[in-house]
Amino acid sequence: MAVRLRKDRGLWQVDWRDAKNARHAKVFQNKKEAEAFDAFVKLQIKHDIEGLDEAIEKELGKSQRRASSSETKPAKSSKKTTTPSSQESSTRSTAQTKASSRKGRGRPEKNSLPVEEPPSPFATLETVAKAYLRDRQFTKDKSYSNFLDGMRIPLELFANKRIGDITRADLRQILILQKAAKKTIAGGRVKTDEPVSQATVAAKMRVLRTVMRWAVQNEYLETMPPFPKIPQPNYKKFVPPTAEEVQAIHDAAPSHIKRVVMLGVYSGVRIGECELLKLRWEDVDLNRAVLRVQSAGKNPSMPWREVPIREDLLPLFQQWQEEDREVGAATLIHRKGKPLKRIQTAWENAVERAGITRRIRPYDLRHAFATEAIAAGADIGTVASLMGHSSPLMLLKHYQHVQTVQKQRIVASLPMIRFAHQDCGSSSSKEGLGC
């Protein structure tokens, strides 16, 4: 595959070959659209969904032909009949196809589904799921795999059912099976006999609900069927590492994990490829002592945020910068100058060498940042902003135990007030508030 600029037309062109080695090309007005489409086609090829448009149009054509024949075919005749309207429609469709091919390489429409005859009365759930997938054009494996996980059970049950015929009872059946599903690992193999968490069930049902809403917006469906109540996610509470555990992991870790520990504890960034592992030296401003963190995409209103660097850590950052210049490393987390996509194995080995037997995840460093900041009396809204949350609700939900300690400290710090004309009663109560 390739993305190139056509200098003769001033357009960006994407060239690729499908599974049958046939060549294809599409052009776009700008490079960003071309690169997004290029990533989408690569994902199609990787997951064997090449030819998605043809599959959708074929399915819609079958449904429309069935509907047309049921309206025009005589009741007691088994012979196939072709009405003038269907001939005219077929002729018009052929002409449109030829005209489209004569246009050549013009800019493609984002949604090339038939628009003259809305497919909503005939489209199946599978058809709509494919159309939704084509319209969204996922460019990340994670987004695509989440879609497949959420739609696996609905498609197993009702792939060939018209989407307009799906009832609340059908949705309840899907919900029951989602709750009964077992935890799996990569490849779909069952991991344990333990059922999936409520958070996982809620996430999978949201995928189906999103597809149904999209179907309404795109006229596949007139109204949304009433969804059963989706269970509230019951997130696990992970105890963040103590200062002693953090120190032990740091001392037992290789150099790149030492940096993970320091940045996780003192900046609160998301530990993973979404934020920490893509942090580059060009995002570090040592003169102003700030990190410019490109947000993970969970908060569209905050594409990036600035996190202050502690003054006593500036010499350490300068040392890292000098070391990375020698090996030509562009990212802060790397091995021998090469950026990393995952650190799980190195992290687990460091935890084991530190003599820690309980489970501590890299992401728990972020929890440690939030816990210590709130316990120290930091404002919840400021902590949420530093961590890249769109609102403090996430912190209010997950750090209630820290707030309780903070509330006790606030109440204990209230000044003593003596109220006039107050009968304090016993001598022991005279030592209390207002006596």
Side-chain angles (χ1 to χ4, degrees):
M1 294 190 61
V3 178
R4 60 189 177 92
L5 175 64
R6 295 195 54 176
K7 297 182 179 180
D8 58 329
R9 301 177 64 182
L11 299 175
W12 289 87
Q13 181 168 312
V14 179
D15 301 295
W16 78 96
R17 292 180 180 271
D18 61 19
K20 299 179 181 178
N21 205 33
R23 295 183 61 183
H24 300 273
K26 286 189 178 182
V27 295
F28 299 85
Q29 296 292 338
N30 56 65
K31 185 179 180 180
K32 185 177 180 180
E33 291 182 353
E35 289 178 340
F37 182 78
D38 177 69
F40 171 64
V41 173
K42 287 178 180 177
L43 195 63
Q44 282 186 315
I45 295 173
K46 179 177 179 179
H47 293 283
D48 194 25
I49 56 173
E50 184 71 26
L52 191 59
D53 290 349
E54 291 79 358
I56 294 170
E57 291 171 0
K58 181 179 179 181
E59 179 65 28
L60 291 177
K62 288 179 180 178
S63 300
Q64 291 168 349
R65 285 195 296 273
R66 284 196 298 267
S68 177
S69 62
S70 65
E71 293 176 359
T72 59
K73 185 170 58 178
K76 296 184 179 180
S77 174
S78 60
K79 296 181 179 180
K80 294 183 179 179
T81 60
T82 305
T83 64
S85 61
S86 63
Q87 289 178 348
E88 181 182 350
S89 175
S90 176
T91 303
R92 184 170 62 251
S93 176
T94 304
Q96 289 175 347
T97 303
K98 291 181 178 179
S100 176
S101 63
R102 285 196 299 269
K103 286 183 179 180
R105 299 170 182 169
R107 183 180 180 183
E109 295 290 337
K110 185 177 181 181
N111 187 351
S112 59
L113 291 173
V115 295
E116 295 183 0
E117 297 179 359
S120 55
F122 314 112
T124 63
L125 179 62
E126 181 180 10
T127 295
V128 172
K130 289 179 179 178
Y132 169 83
L133 182 62
R134 185 188 65 190
D135 182 67
R136 288 299 308 274
Q137 296 192 1
F138 292 130
T139 58
K140 296 181 179 179
D141 278 345
K142 183 66 174 176
S143 301
Y144 184 75
S145 62
N146 288 342
F147 171 83
L148 292 183
D149 287 342
M151 293 301 297
R152 182 178 61 82
I153 289 178
L155 289 175
E156 286 178 356
L157 294 175
F158 307 113
N160 297 319
K161 189 168 186 175
R162 292 182 179 182
I163 192 168
D165 295 338
I166 293 179
T167 64
R168 181 182 177 87
D170 297 332
L171 298 174
R172 191 180 296 111
Q173 183 180 357
I174 293 172
L175 177 59
I176 291 172
L177 291 180
Q178 295 283 27
K179 289 180 177 180
K182 306 297 182 182
K183 288 185 177 180
T184 59
I185 57 177
R189 302 189 304 275
V190 175
K191 184 178 181 180
T192 64
D193 290 334
E194 183 182 354
V196 297
S197 65
Q198 289 186 350
T200 301
V201 173
K204 291 183 177 182
M205 291 300 293
R206 282 196 298 269
V207 171
L208 177 59
R209 186 166 58 185
T210 300
V211 172
M212 302 289 275
R213 285 175 176 169
W214 181 91
V216 174
Q217 295 171 358
N218 290 270
E219 299 182 350
Y220 287 92
L221 191 61
E222 292 183 1
T223 58
M224 277 277 292
F227 256 71
K229 185 177 180 180
I230 297 178
Q232 290 294 323
N234 184 18
Y235 296 104
K236 288 184 177 180
K237 300 295 189 296
F238 289 94
V239 179
T242 63
E244 292 76 17
E245 288 173 330
V246 170
Q247 185 67 55
I249 295 172
H250 178 274
D251 294 344
S255 59
H256 66 291
I257 298 299
K258 290 182 188 292
R259 294 189 183 188
V260 170
V261 173
M262 298 296 292
L263 290 169
V265 169
Y266 289 114
S267 69
V269 296
R270 293 178 173 90
I271 312 297
E273 192 177 4
C274 60
E275 284 189 359
L276 177 60
L277 298 185
K278 70 177 183 181
L279 192 62
R280 303 172 64 87
W281 278 111
E282 62 193 41
D283 300 320
V284 181
D285 188 341
L286 294 181
N287 293 327
R288 296 175 53 229
V290 293
L291 296 174
R292 187 176 297 106
V293 181
Q294 305 298 324
S295 297
K298 297 184 178 183
N299 181 9
S301 63
M302 188 188 295
W304 59 273
R305 65 188 187 276
E306 288 189 345
V307 179
I309 301 173
R310 286 173 54 122
E311 185 176 354
D312 56 349
L313 292 181
L314 286 176
L316 180 61
F317 273 83
Q318 292 169 351
Q319 178 185 335
W320 290 352
Q321 193 175 49
E322 293 174 1
E323 294 172 352
D324 291 355
R325 283 199 188 105
E326 295 179 359
V327 296
T331 58
L332 273 70
I333 308 300
H334 63 88
R335 286 197 66 185
K336 299 180 180 179
K338 296 182 180 180
L340 300 174
K341 290 188 175 181
R342 61 190 310 271
I343 57 169
Q344 190 64 35
T345 301
W347 171 267
E348 291 175 352
N349 290 338
V351 172
E352 183 178 355
R353 286 195 297 269
I356 299 173
T357 56
R358 75 180 184 93
R359 185 189 179 195
I360 298 180
R361 309 165 304 166
Y363 208 85
D364 292 330
L365 298 172
R366 176 172 160 90
H367 293 318
F369 171 85
T371 300
E372 296 301 328
I374 296 173
D379 174 71
I380 294 287
T382 302
V383 176
S385 178
L386 286 171
M387 298 180 70
H389 291 302
S390 57
S391 76
L393 294 178
M394 183 68 71
L395 296 181
L396 293 172
K397 179 186 298 183
H398 292 284
Y399 298 93
Q400 186 66 39
H401 62 290
V402 185
Q403 293 179 73
T404 300
V405 177
Q406 188 176 354
K407 290 174 183 176
Q408 292 173 346
R409 187 184 300 119
I410 291 173
V411 171
S413 66
L414 292 174
M416 298 294 289
I417 303 174
R418 294 184 179 276
F419 297 102
H421 310 295
Q422 181 175 356
D423 183 9
C424 294
S426 64
S427 59
S428 61
S429 66
K430 291 182 181 181
E431 299 175 359
L433 180 66
C435 298

